[in-house]
Amino acid sequence: MLNIYNRLPINVVKGDGVHIFDDNGKRYLDFTSGIATVSFGHCNQYIKEKLSRQLSELWHCSNIFNIPLQERVANRLVDLTFADKVFFCSSGLEAIEAAVKFIRRYFYTQGSKKYRIITLKNGFHGRSMVGISAGGGVKAKEGYYPLLDGFDEVITDDIDQLKNKITENTAAILLELIQSEGGVYSIDKDYIIKLRKICDENNLLLCFDEVQTGFGRIGKLFHYENIGVKPDILTSAKAMGNGFPVAACLIKQKIADAILPGTHGSTYAGNPLAVTVVDAVLDIITADGFLENVQENAKYFWQKLLNLQNEFPHFIKNIRGEGFLVGIEFSSETDTKKFLLKCLDLGLAMTKTSNPSIVRILPPLIIEKPDIDIAMNITHQVLKKF
Ligand SMILES: *Cc1c(COP(=O)(O)O)cnc(C)c1O
């Protein structure tokens, strides 16, 4: 295999609920959730049963046929969100690819010259050429030039700079609501409200990349609900499939009108197994009390995190994020790699961000208080010995 990942030194062979197991049978609390993906637990029983049934019905037939199941799941997403239409695909980068193409085509069909997309510095939108043209750090881009034309980066929170970037060619603004890979930076709510206003005034489309913040991670189906600002386009992936490769680009009708047969597509798009998983995930997330429980446990988790910060101010500079998307910024002299390895040794798995001093914690959304306590005791023990 290509040597492209900095892997943690355990061999993972099994997952069950909030735990993963190595090949020696040792158990770890999984506070990575497969990077915000296996949010509803490893080998989730309910999803497994639905998928097992579908495995005996139909795996794949391609989009040359009507697939009633696919239509039903799309309708559920439309009923639950701002969107009028759904494009299914298989990964976050494909959802971003679709969003960028749809933005361009929407303006094309209006006879407009608009095609440029404003993005935020420190953003992350996947590893395709579109993804690294729209975001990603130096390392993600190096050696891959020339990147795609049509992206203009601005720094967050500087409305004047953003306004100055808008030209007659500007088509859209694309951003994550919390920049996760970049170090878990929440984007200010007032700034997002202003972006919506600027888009409306300048005939621009607003696109939220909710690949990581979606499907309950911040206590709502999508984080835009917490902020109270609706986008025109939204990308979703990761937890949407709880580990099954599935993603979607959600769009308003006016954009959908520009996307006709032959203008986009993918072989696996809306594959019956994939949409079965989304259907099951939607059952879980919309069940009475599920998201309320997530919100309550996240609050409890944050209390514990702030206690930890108070006790170890020398190591912990800042705790960022919201809900179950948390970044702990350590002081520059703290060896975060050693911290992660020591925690792993004691049975707690966590991950980093592209910034080495920021540890990212992504507990499964089904985590309960006793397991939060266990995780916090482990981090406490490790920091005490540091
Ligand atoms: C993970 C991620 C992507 C890319 O998704 P892949 O499924 O890895 O292609 C895009 N945007 C954001 C915000 C992400 O967190």
Side-chain angles (χ1 to χ4, degrees):
M1 291 189 296
L2 269 182
N3 178 28
I4 48 176
Y5 305 108
N6 286 314
R7 296 176 192 268
L8 290 165
I10 59 169
N11 299 325
V12 179
V13 294
K14 190 179 158 55
D16 182 12
V18 298
H19 293 103
I20 47 175
F21 298 81
D22 70 16
D23 52 357
N24 295 317
K26 183 172 168 179
R27 195 175 82 158
Y28 304 84
L29 260 179
D30 183 9
F31 274 35
T32 73
S33 299
I35 310 196
T37 294
V38 196
S39 292
F40 307 94
H42 289 279
C43 302
N44 180 293
Q45 194 62 27
Y46 180 76
I47 303 172
K48 198 171 83 183
E49 275 165 21
K50 272 210 161 182
L51 184 58
S52 301
R53 251 173 280 145
Q54 186 60 37
L55 278 168
S56 308
E57 296 291 328
L58 178 69
W59 289 24
H60 188 81
C61 60
S62 108
N63 289 299
I64 58 175
F65 301 104
N66 293 321
I67 307 171
L69 177 65
Q70 202 183 66
E71 286 172 35
R72 198 162 62 74
V73 178
N75 280 333
R76 287 188 83 178
L77 284 169
V78 164
D79 287 344
L80 290 165
T81 66
F82 75 96
D84 301 308
K85 289 279 191 252
V86 177
F87 168 70
F88 287 114
C89 46
S90 309
S91 67
L93 68 81
E94 286 174 66
I96 291 289
E97 176 82 17
V100 169
K101 285 180 72 178
F102 296 166
I103 289 165
R104 289 194 178 188
R105 211 180 136 86
Y106 167 69
F107 286 107
Y108 166 82
T109 56
Q110 302 208 329
S112 161
K113 285 199 177 65
K114 287 168 175 277
Y115 72 97
R116 302 196 70 84
I117 298 173
I118 294 179
T119 59
L120 297 190
K121 195 174 164 61
N122 199 44
F124 179 82
H125 302 291
R127 303 277 194 167
S128 66
M129 285 306 294
V130 162
I132 63 172
S133 302
V138 175
K139 227 181 188 164
K141 301 179 202 237
E142 194 183 343
Y144 296 122
Y145 289 90
L147 301 180
L148 288 177
D149 180 33
F151 297 92
D152 298 306
E153 193 179 271
V154 298
I155 54 172
T156 309
D157 276 340
D158 188 339
I159 281 290
D160 289 334
Q161 191 194 33
L162 185 133
K163 280 184 174 164
N164 285 332
K165 274 275 193 253
I166 297 173
T167 69
E168 57 178 8
N169 294 127
T170 304
I173 303 174
L174 161 67
L175 70 153
E176 300 158 88
L177 298 176
I178 302 175
Q179 294 182 323
S180 184
E181 300 294 325
V184 192
Y185 291 91
S186 292
I187 307 298
D188 186 56
K189 181 178 165 171
D190 291 334
Y191 180 74
I192 295 165
I193 292 170
K194 281 181 194 150
L195 294 187
R196 178 71 267 178
K197 196 157 167 275
I198 288 171
C199 285
D200 293 340
E201 288 168 358
N202 294 277
N203 185 26
L204 312 179
L205 299 174
L206 184 59
C207 179
F208 293 159
D209 181 353
E210 289 229 43
V211 166
Q212 195 150 158
T213 50
F215 275 82
R217 179 91 359 224
I218 320 296
K220 297 274 187 193
L221 179 58
F222 289 110
H223 185 35
Y224 78 80
E225 299 167 49
N226 291 317
I227 292 167
V229 174
K230 287 179 184 164
D232 304 297
I233 307 183
L234 180 147
T235 54
S236 174
K238 292 200 166 102
M240 178 176 192
N242 200 49
F244 199 99
V246 62
C249 182
L250 309 185
I251 58 177
K252 296 294 292 175
Q253 186 60 46
K254 64 175 180 181
I255 306 161
D257 290 339
I259 318 299
L260 300 171
T263 60
H264 195 57
S266 167
T267 300
Y268 280 132
N271 164 283
L273 299 178
V275 289
T276 295
V277 172
V278 179
D279 202 27
V281 164
L282 284 173
D283 287 345
I284 293 171
I285 205 168
T286 57
D288 258 358
F290 182 86
L291 286 174
E292 288 76 10
N293 198 45
V294 171
Q295 290 159 16
E296 190 198 310
N297 286 328
K299 217 181 207 171
Y300 179 79
F301 185 43
W302 270 90
Q303 270 170 13
K304 295 270 164 173
L305 287 165
L306 295 174
N307 292 345
L308 200 70
Q309 184 183 18
N310 284 335
E311 195 168 343
F312 300 102
H314 178 66
F315 295 124
I316 300 178
K317 250 174 83 176
N318 201 357
I319 299 183
R320 283 201 298 273
E322 283 162 79
F324 277 130
L325 172 43
V326 174
I328 300 187
E329 182 174 6
F330 284 90
S331 61
S332 52
E333 60 269 28
T334 311
D335 186 343
T336 53
K337 186 161 181 215
K338 193 170 143 198
F339 170 76
L340 285 175
L341 290 176
K342 290 273 180 208
C343 288
L344 192 65
D345 203 38
L346 294 179
L348 172 64
M350 295 179 292
T351 182
K352 279 189 291 190
T353 63
S354 59
N355 180 335
S357 66
I358 298 162
V359 166
R360 188 167 32 162
I361 315 184
L362 298 157
L365 303 182
I366 56 165
I367 199 81
E368 296 286 349
K369 293 183 182 89
D371 282 327
I372 291 176
D373 289 343
I374 291 172
M376 296 320 286
N377 286 340
I378 291 173
T379 45
H380 188 269
Q381 261 184 67
V382 170
L383 284 177
K384 220 166 155 186
K385 285 206 188 117
F386 247 56

